[in-house]
């Protein structure tokens, strides 16, 4: 009644203020030390109750900064809110802020919040992904980044790798999890170095640490890929260059050390005088088939290192590429069932696959660039 007579406020305004202050006092009494229910948290949106307070304070002649201090928020927040919730009254002669109008504008803006799906707007890129995924065997990451790396699409016309995987989970691309060979086979194993019972040559521990950085060309890893477990089946000798990820597949008649050395002699004749610049080191495992590989050191400058036993991660590059071969030649399948052209096609596909670690260039592109530098220096 005092506010009604002294401040000439309406009965409705007095009742709203009385209700607000009564509620505030009751909540403070409940927890006067820790309660923050009536304290506006910076970064949070205004509530309808806070908009009512703004309406009342503006009617009482409070400045925007005074209202901001009371609500514990920025004056800019109050200014933007007043602009959104101001309505014209009396044929535009009077402008006044209304809490209901401000809240309605807030709800309308909220409907437009959040990132919208680009799937329908970027259908051309989706067709590009679908084509290269199934036809060329590219991963979703390669599809997303190779498109911009070679200039086929502008960055605004593609979506990122994470978004493509989200589309797969949502069933939008026509690609499913069973189409992604690496997504479902992740299996972490405890790494343990066992004592080496055989000493075929230099240990990998003697290999220079600079090789681990992959900044220098000419350091290779070597392994065998077996087909059917029979003495009559052929095997594949695989080599991978650590920097460029260039992959070589050599078909040999069996997994004896004699066949392995014969394959290396053929490879040495192929690169002739450039052998020492291209094959600086070779890292392999302790299998008996590589027992004679250290003999390369007697006829060339190539150094041979042997990994720790039962530690395939010491030569992870070639092991990773062997996994790519298994997409075409499953375990237990006889190598003899595949023609020489089939093996060449697998090697070509591996070397023409854009890689994230190569800035979405292909191993062939990096390898040819390094060979050109070697030939020019010669």
């Amino acid at each position: 009644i005092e506010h009604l007579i002294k401040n000439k406020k309406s009965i409705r305004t007095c009742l709203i203020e009385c209700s607000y202050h009564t509620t505030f006092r009751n909540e403070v009494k409940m927890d006067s030390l820790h309660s923050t229910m009536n304290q506006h948290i910076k970064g949070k949106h205004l509530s309808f109750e806070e908009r009512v307070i703004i309406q009342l304070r503006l009617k009482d002649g409070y400045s925007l900064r005074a209202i901001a201090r009371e609500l514990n928020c920025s004056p800019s927040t109050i200014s933007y809110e007043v602009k959104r919730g101001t309505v014209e009254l009396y044929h535009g002669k009077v402008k006044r802020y209304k809490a209901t109008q401000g809240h309605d504008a807030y709800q309308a803006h909220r409907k437009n919040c959040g990132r919208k799906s680009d799937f329908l707007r970027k259908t051309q890129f989706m067709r590009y992904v679908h084509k290269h995924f199934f036809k060329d065997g590219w991963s979703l990451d390669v599809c997303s980044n190779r498109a911009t790396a070679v200039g086929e699409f502008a960055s605004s016309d593609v979506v990122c790798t994470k978004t493509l995987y989200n589309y797969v989970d949502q069933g939008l691309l026509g690609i499913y999890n069973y189409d992604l060979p690496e997504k479902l086979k992740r299996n972490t194993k405890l790494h343990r170095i066992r004592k080496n019972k055989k000493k075929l040559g230099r240990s990998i521990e003697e290999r220079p640490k600079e090789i681990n950085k992959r900044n220098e060309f000419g350091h290779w890893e070597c392994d065998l890929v077996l087909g059917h477990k029979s003495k009559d089946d052929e095997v594949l000798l695989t080599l991978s260059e650590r920097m460029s990820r260039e992959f070589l597949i050599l078909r040999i008649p069996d997994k004896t050390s004699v066949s392995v050395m014969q394959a290396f002699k053929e490879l040495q004749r192929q690169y002739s005088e450039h052998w020492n610049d291209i094959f600086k080191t070779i890292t392999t495992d302790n299998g008996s088939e590589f027992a004679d590989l250290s003999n390369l050191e007697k006829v060339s400058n190539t150094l041979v290192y042997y990994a720790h036993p039962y530690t395939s991660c010491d030569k992870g590059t070639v092991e990773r590429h062997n996994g790519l071969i298994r997409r075409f030649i499953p375990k237990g399948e006889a190598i003899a069932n595949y023609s020489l052209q089939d093996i060449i096609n697998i090697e070509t596909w591996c070397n023409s696959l854009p890689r994230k670690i190569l800035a979405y260039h292909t191993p062939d592109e990096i390898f040819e660039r390094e060979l050109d530098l070697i030939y020019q220096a010669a």
Side-chain angles (χ1 to χ4, degrees):
I1 295 174
E2 179 182 352
H3 279 279
L4 182 64
I5 299 173
K6 185 177 179 180
N7 299 327
K8 298 181 180 180
K9 295 183 178 181
S10 65
I11 296 177
R12 180 175 178 275
T13 301
C14 292
L15 289 175
I16 293 176
E17 284 189 339
C18 182
S19 174
Y20 169 74
H21 288 295
T22 302
T23 304
F24 179 77
R25 285 194 299 271
N26 291 338
E27 289 179 350
V28 170
K29 288 178 182 178
M30 288 168 51
D31 190 356
S32 59
L33 294 178
H34 305 291
S35 177
T36 58
M37 295 179 62
N38 291 282
Q39 285 285 334
H40 176 78
I41 301 175
K42 287 193 175 182
K44 298 294 183 179
H45 295 179
L46 294 173
S47 64
F48 178 71
E49 290 75 12
E50 290 168 333
R51 290 184 171 89
V52 171
I53 295 173
I54 294 174
Q55 177 180 334
L56 295 175
R57 295 296 177 262
L58 288 175
K59 191 173 182 181
D60 292 342
Y62 281 55
S63 67
L64 298 183
R65 291 187 176 275
I67 299 174
R69 283 194 298 269
E70 181 176 347
L71 295 182
N72 189 32
C73 64
S74 170
S76 299
T77 302
I78 305 299
S79 175
Y80 297 147
E81 174 61 29
V82 170
K83 289 180 181 178
R84 285 192 293 266
T86 298
V87 296
E88 294 182 352
L89 303 176
Y90 307 112
H91 304 290
K93 295 180 180 179
V94 177
K95 292 183 178 181
R96 187 174 298 165
Y97 173 79
K98 295 291 185 180
T100 53
Q101 176 66 24
H103 196 67
D104 291 342
Y106 165 76
Q107 295 290 356
H109 292 165
R110 286 288 291 171
K111 294 180 181 179
N112 297 323
C113 290
R115 185 179 179 87
K116 303 301 182 290
S117 175
D118 287 336
F119 182 78
L120 296 178
R121 296 194 300 109
K122 299 178 179 179
T123 54
Q124 186 176 358
F125 175 68
M126 299 305 159
R127 288 194 292 268
Y128 171 88
V129 171
H130 197 274
K131 170 190 171 185
H132 286 289
F133 181 86
F134 286 107
K135 184 178 179 180
D136 300 324
W138 289 7
S139 68
L140 296 181
D141 181 69
V142 170
C143 293
S144 176
N145 294 277
R146 176 73 175 181
T148 55
V150 299
E152 292 188 55
F153 286 86
S155 58
S156 59
D157 296 329
V158 303
V159 298
C160 67
T161 303
K162 175 63 177 175
T163 301
L164 287 179
Y165 276 103
N166 289 340
Y167 290 164
V168 170
D169 293 335
Q170 295 166 12
L172 299 177
L173 278 178
I175 301 172
Y176 303 95
N177 284 328
Y178 55 75
D179 295 321
L180 304 172
E182 296 298 324
K183 186 176 181 180
L184 301 180
K185 78 173 189 179
R186 298 298 184 191
N187 182 25
T188 57
K189 297 180 180 178
L190 181 64
H191 176 65
R192 182 175 61 175
I193 298 178
R194 303 185 185 181
K195 186 177 179 180
N196 191 359
K197 296 181 179 180
K198 295 186 294 185
K199 185 170 179 61
L200 302 179
R202 286 188 180 86
S203 170
I204 193 174
E205 294 179 358
E206 302 177 37
R207 194 176 70 177
K209 301 301 181 183
E210 291 74 16
I211 297 178
N212 295 332
K213 298 179 181 179
R214 300 177 185 264
N215 294 328
E216 185 181 10
F217 176 78
H219 302 287
W220 296 75
E221 296 175 3
C222 178
D223 200 10
L224 285 185
V225 174
L226 305 181
H228 191 269
K229 293 184 178 180
S230 64
K231 295 182 179 180
D232 300 331
D233 192 24
E234 298 175 327
V235 298
L236 299 177
L237 175 65
T238 58
L239 294 100
S240 180
E241 203 280 317
R242 288 174 58 83
M243 189 191 81
S244 66
R245 272 71 174 182
E246 182 73 6
F247 192 47
L248 302 181
I249 306 177
L250 306 177
R251 193 170 186 164
I252 58 178
D254 51 48
K255 60 175 183 177
T256 62
S257 60
V258 176
S259 298
V260 170
M261 289 305 298
Q262 186 62 35
F264 271 99
K265 289 179 182 178
E266 293 292 333
L267 195 62
Q268 196 171 8
R269 278 195 291 270
Q270 178 181 345
Y271 289 100
S272 60
E273 70 272 13
H274 300 294
W275 169 267
N276 292 331
D277 295 321
I278 299 174
F279 290 84
K280 298 175 182 177
T281 68
I282 298 175
T283 302
T284 186
D285 55 43
N286 292 273
S288 58
E289 61 272 14
F290 298 116
D292 298 334
L293 192 59
S294 58
N295 293 336
L296 285 175
E297 298 179 358
K298 300 177 182 179
V299 296
S300 67
N301 296 333
T302 303
L303 299 178
V304 179
Y305 298 95
Y306 290 89
H308 297 107
Y310 312 104
T311 311
S312 58
C313 60
D314 282 348
K315 49 185 183 63
T317 303
V318 72
E319 293 286 354
R320 174 68 182 89
H321 284 80
N322 291 345
L324 296 179
I325 292 179
R326 291 305 184 189
R327 297 189 185 186
F328 305 91
I329 306 177
K331 287 186 177 181
E333 188 79 16
I335 303 295
N337 295 340
Y338 295 86
S339 66
L340 179 60
Q341 186 60 46
D342 292 333
I343 304 301
I344 294 174
N345 290 340
I346 296 173
E347 179 184 303
T348 302
W349 179 81
C350 290
N351 291 326
S352 60
L353 182 66
R355 310 294 177 87
K356 178 180 181 179
I357 202 163
L358 301 177
Y360 298 98
H361 292 288
T362 66
D364 268 343
E365 293 172 352
I366 307 299
F367 188 72
E368 292 296 332
R369 183 193 68 190
E370 295 297 328
L371 286 184
D372 290 341
L373 294 176
I374 292 174
Y375 293 152
Q376 291 172 8

